[in-house]
Amino acid sequence: MSPAGRPGGRVRVTADPDWYESAGISLGIRVGDLVFTSGQAPVDEHGGTVGAGDFEAQARQALAQLSTVLTRAGSGLDRLVKVTVFVTDMAHQDVFARLRAECYVAPFPAESFVQVAALADPAWLIEIEAVGAVEPGADDVL
């Protein structure tokens, strides 16, 4: 049965282990041909912070987490539609621009790059949330 045909039309995206389940939130929610991710932070599969104090290491980890969630939902970094990047220091914009060039493909997604006062964990320097398009025929991925 396709996700759109499931009760409520919403399907929870999970991973094993699911690093957000203990917080009572979903890694992502798939609705029809779109997947909406929670903010993906620089954490490992056990919820520990990766790359303390190292923006590039944290950004790479957050992008890897984002890729995992999108893939689990039948999407991928190559199918991004909208990305919101939250950082604690706008000075990291050039580093993220370089990493973005490694990950995004044309047509490039819409993106907002926002400085915030703090993220959920004081050690986090970045968090990324996104909307991705689901691959045609990926109904049974979840």
Side-chain angles (χ1 to χ4, degrees):
M1 173 177 9
S2 73
R6 294 183 184 160
R10 298 180 324 142
V11 178
R12 182 171 184 264
V13 180
T14 63
D16 185 22
D18 186 329
W19 52 93
Y20 283 1
E21 187 171 32
S22 64
I25 60 176
S26 297
L27 292 171
I29 294 287
R30 181 167 155 188
V31 180
D33 292 334
L34 295 174
V35 58
F36 299 82
T37 75
S38 288
Q40 297 303 307
V43 296
D44 62 23
E45 65 275 6
H46 305 293
T49 298
V50 171
D54 182 340
F55 179 80
E56 184 169 341
Q58 288 198 7
R60 287 187 183 281
Q61 182 66 19
L63 285 164
Q65 299 293 80
L66 180 62
S67 178
T68 296
V69 174
L70 291 168
T71 300
R72 297 283 302 157
S75 185
L77 293 175
D78 61 330
R79 300 194 50 84
L80 286 169
V81 175
K82 173 68 170 93
V83 180
T84 305
V85 181
F86 302 98
V87 296
T88 57
D89 188 341
M90 195 60 76
H92 299 304
Q93 191 169 15
D94 289 344
V95 173
F96 193 79
R98 183 171 41 79
L99 298 177
R100 176 192 310 123
E102 294 175 14
C103 296
Y104 294 2
V105 298
F108 301 112
E111 182 186 271
S112 298
F113 194 87
V114 182
Q115 181 173 322
V116 296
L119 294 165
D121 183 315
W124 297 350
L125 304 174
I126 186 170
E127 188 170 333
I128 307 169
E129 67 180 26
V131 178
V134 175
E135 281 286 339
D139 287 345
D140 296 324
V141 172
L142 296 174

